[in-house]
Coordinates of all heavy atoms in Angstrom, one line a residue:
C25 N -89.6 -141.8 -149.5 CA -88.8 -141.0 -148.7 C -89.2 -139.5 -148.8 O -89.4 -139.0 -149.9 CB -87.4 -141.1 -149.2 SG -86.2 -139.9 -148.5
C28 N -85.7 -137.6 -150.6 CA -85.2 -137.9 -152.0 C -86.3 -138.5 -152.8 O -86.0 -138.8 -154.0 CB -83.9 -138.7 -152.0 SG -84.1 -140.4 -151.5
C41 N -84.9 -143.7 -144.8 CA -84.5 -143.9 -146.2 C -83.1 -144.5 -146.2 O -82.1 -143.9 -145.7 CB -84.5 -142.6 -147.0 SG -83.9 -142.8 -148.7
S43 N -81.1 -144.7 -148.5 CA -80.1 -143.9 -149.4 C -79.8 -142.6 -148.8 O -78.6 -142.2 -148.8 CB -80.7 -143.9 -150.8 OG -81.1 -142.7 -151.2
C44 N -80.8 -141.8 -148.2 CA -80.4 -140.5 -147.7 C -80.7 -140.2 -146.3 O -80.3 -139.2 -145.7 CB -81.2 -139.4 -148.5 SG -82.9 -139.2 -148.0
Ligands
ZN2 ZN1 -84.2 -140.6 -149.3

Side-chain angles (χ1 to χ4, degrees):
C25 173
C28 73
C41 176
S43 108
C44 81

